[in-house]
């Protein structure tokens, strides 16, 4: 079986086997979709999902990914989001997560480690966004 993305951080929030997201996508569904091993240590609901529910999955070795699910009826929305993320990623200007899996109801992304919000961070982000706006995709 393939392994999930590598990471140094883990957390314990919800027990494995609980429904991961509000649209009935379970941890096991995510693991099966990716063909990854099933030793998920924890799931954590994340803020920021506008059209779907978002969660962080952490494996026992610290590997992590972000899962987003949506209800039936919005078949193209996650594919469109995945295409947009790939286009942004190809600019090599701002940090964008890799798309690991996309289907009609499920989008799985590389989990990025957050930056510390310092003066240097904000200055760098400003430069990166300016570079992004100067590129065409």
């Amino acid at each position: 079986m393939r392994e999930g993305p590598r990471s140094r951080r883990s957390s314990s929030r919800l027990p494995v086997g609980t429904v991961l997201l509000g649209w009935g996508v379970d941890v096991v569904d995510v693991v099966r979709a990716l063909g990854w091993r099933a030793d998920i240590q924890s799931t954590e609901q994340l803020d920021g999902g506008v059209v779907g529910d978002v969660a962080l999955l952490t494996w026992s070795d610290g590997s992590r990914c972000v899962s987003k699910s949506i209800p039936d009826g919005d078949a193209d929305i996650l594919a469109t989001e995945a295409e947009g993320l790939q286009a942004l990623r190809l600019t090599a200007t701002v940090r964008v997560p890799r798309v690991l899996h996309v289907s009609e109801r499920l989008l799985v992304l590389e989990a990025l480690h957050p930056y510390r919000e310092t003066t240097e961070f904000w200055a760098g982000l400003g430069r990166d966004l300016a570079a992004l706006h100067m590129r065409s995709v």
Side-chain angles (χ1 to χ4, degrees), residues 9 64 95 112-116:
R9 204 178 92 166
R64 304 175 327 148
R95 205 169 64 144
L112 299 178
H113 293 283
Y115 284 122
R116 292 183 59 213

Side-chain angles (χ1 to χ4, degrees), residues 101-116:
H101 173 82
V102 63
S103 65
E104 286 187 7
R105 291 184 53 210
L106 179 64
L107 176 63
V108 182
L109 305 171
E110 164 189 27
L112 299 178
H113 293 283
Y115 284 122
R116 292 183 59 213

